[in-house]
Amino acid sequence: MEYKEISPATLGEERLRYDIQKGAFANLSERELAERYGISRTAMRRSLSVLQNEGLIEKKPRVGMTVNNKHVINMLAMSSMSTELNPDEIQTEVLQTEEPVEEDVVRFLKADHVFELPRKRMINGKPISYELAFLSQERFPEIEQISFQNRSLYQTLKDQYGVVLGYGHETIKAGYADKKQAIILEIPEKTPLYIVTSLAYDHDDEPVEYSVQYLIGNQIRY
């Protein structure tokens, strides 16, 4: 069997991944990392480029390379994203944009009139998701008059209407940001996204919410 010697760039990439996994990655400059791993700066630059493209690390001015810590969402938790993520860090912005209401939404909600709530969520001012939530206006009258700016939808349904979510179904697929999503999320077009479609029910098996979320792939871990 023929063996091929591993390249310095690949060696640097493997050592970087190992340190990130063990929590031992240091915020060092390209030169300092090259010295640490005993490879040339050219090879180190190639190693860092691979990990940057994957979203594992990011380069910060006057700081050096830092680990891009992803925000974790538990698929099994029947709670809002505002609760799943740190509520003290997350900001929610209600958008003016509107999307066509598809037949699947109307059919699921069993509604003649559908309320649409488009929102962008950010952490420390950096967008992480764009979400479209749909609810029945018959079941939740005057919901369109409520401001959801930095306000949890699920907590509002509980406080204002006495509705508590019981369970839900989620479908996750991969996709790429189109022009509109790229503008909202402040990312380049064709950036990888998680596309999560959620169907939420109350404890009486009645439909409550249909939602579609577009989450930046390198910011979220499910």
Side-chain angles (χ1 to χ4, degrees):
M1 182 181 292
E2 181 181 353
Y3 291 91
K4 186 176 181 181
E5 185 177 351
I6 188 170
S7 72
T10 303
L11 179 64
E13 181 185 332
E14 290 184 353
R15 289 179 175 175
L16 284 167
R17 292 184 190 278
Y18 179 82
D19 281 354
I20 291 172
Q21 184 179 12
K22 297 297 182 181
F25 182 84
N27 298 341
L28 301 175
S29 68
E30 180 184 287
R31 177 183 57 79
E32 291 169 325
L33 286 169
E35 292 176 354
R36 175 175 179 172
Y37 297 126
I39 61 177
S40 70
R41 290 187 64 179
T42 300
M44 190 75 256
R45 190 176 301 119
R46 291 173 181 167
S47 303
L48 292 168
S49 178
V50 172
L51 271 63
Q52 278 185 280
N53 290 335
E54 293 179 6
L56 290 178
I57 59 174
E58 57 184 336
K59 186 175 183 179
K60 294 186 177 180
R62 297 184 296 278
V63 175
M65 293 294 174
T66 62
V67 176
N68 183 9
N69 294 313
K70 298 185 179 183
H71 307 290
V72 180
I73 297 177
N74 182 2
M75 284 184 62
L76 302 179
M78 198 61 227
S79 55
S80 67
M81 184 179 288
S82 300
T83 303
E84 279 286 300
L85 300 173
N86 190 335
D88 296 326
E89 295 181 352
I90 193 166
Q91 304 91 43
T92 303
E93 177 185 347
V94 178
L95 305 176
Q96 299 301 317
T97 181
E98 291 187 0
E99 298 282 356
V101 179
E102 298 182 359
E103 291 184 7
D104 289 347
V105 177
V106 177
R107 190 179 306 113
F108 171 74
L109 295 174
K110 306 173 186 176
D112 293 324
H113 302 283
V114 174
F115 169 67
E116 179 179 343
L117 178 60
R119 292 176 292 177
K120 175 170 68 172
R121 287 192 172 89
M122 299 163 286
I123 292 182
N124 298 324
K126 187 176 181 178
I128 60 168
S129 75
Y130 165 44
E131 176 185 351
L132 292 162
F134 302 93
L135 300 99
S136 167
Q137 285 189 301
E138 285 89 356
R139 183 170 188 184
F140 304 108
E142 300 182 354
I143 192 171
E144 71 279 1
Q145 298 180 21
I146 299 174
S147 172
F148 286 97
Q149 200 81 4
N150 290 319
R151 183 174 184 172
S152 169
L153 171 61
Y154 290 178
Q155 189 63 44
T156 300
L157 295 181
K158 179 181 178 181
D159 296 341
Q160 299 289 111
Y161 300 95
V163 174
V164 177
L165 272 67
Y167 65 97
H169 299 290
E170 283 194 342
T171 302
I172 302 178
K173 64 180 181 180
Y176 297 96
D178 61 21
K179 184 176 182 180
K180 182 175 184 178
Q181 294 156 5
I183 292 173
I184 292 173
L185 293 171
E186 301 174 23
I187 55 176
E189 286 187 55
K190 298 185 179 179
T191 294
L193 299 175
Y194 288 117
I195 303 173
V196 184
T197 302
S198 303
L199 309 179
Y201 300 80
D202 63 19
H203 291 285
D204 295 321
D205 301 324
E206 289 297 322
V208 175
E209 177 203 23
Y210 185 112
S211 68
V212 181
Q213 297 182 75
Y214 303 92
L215 302 110
I216 303 174
N218 62 11
Q219 299 292 326
I220 297 293
R221 177 162 60 88
Y222 268 92

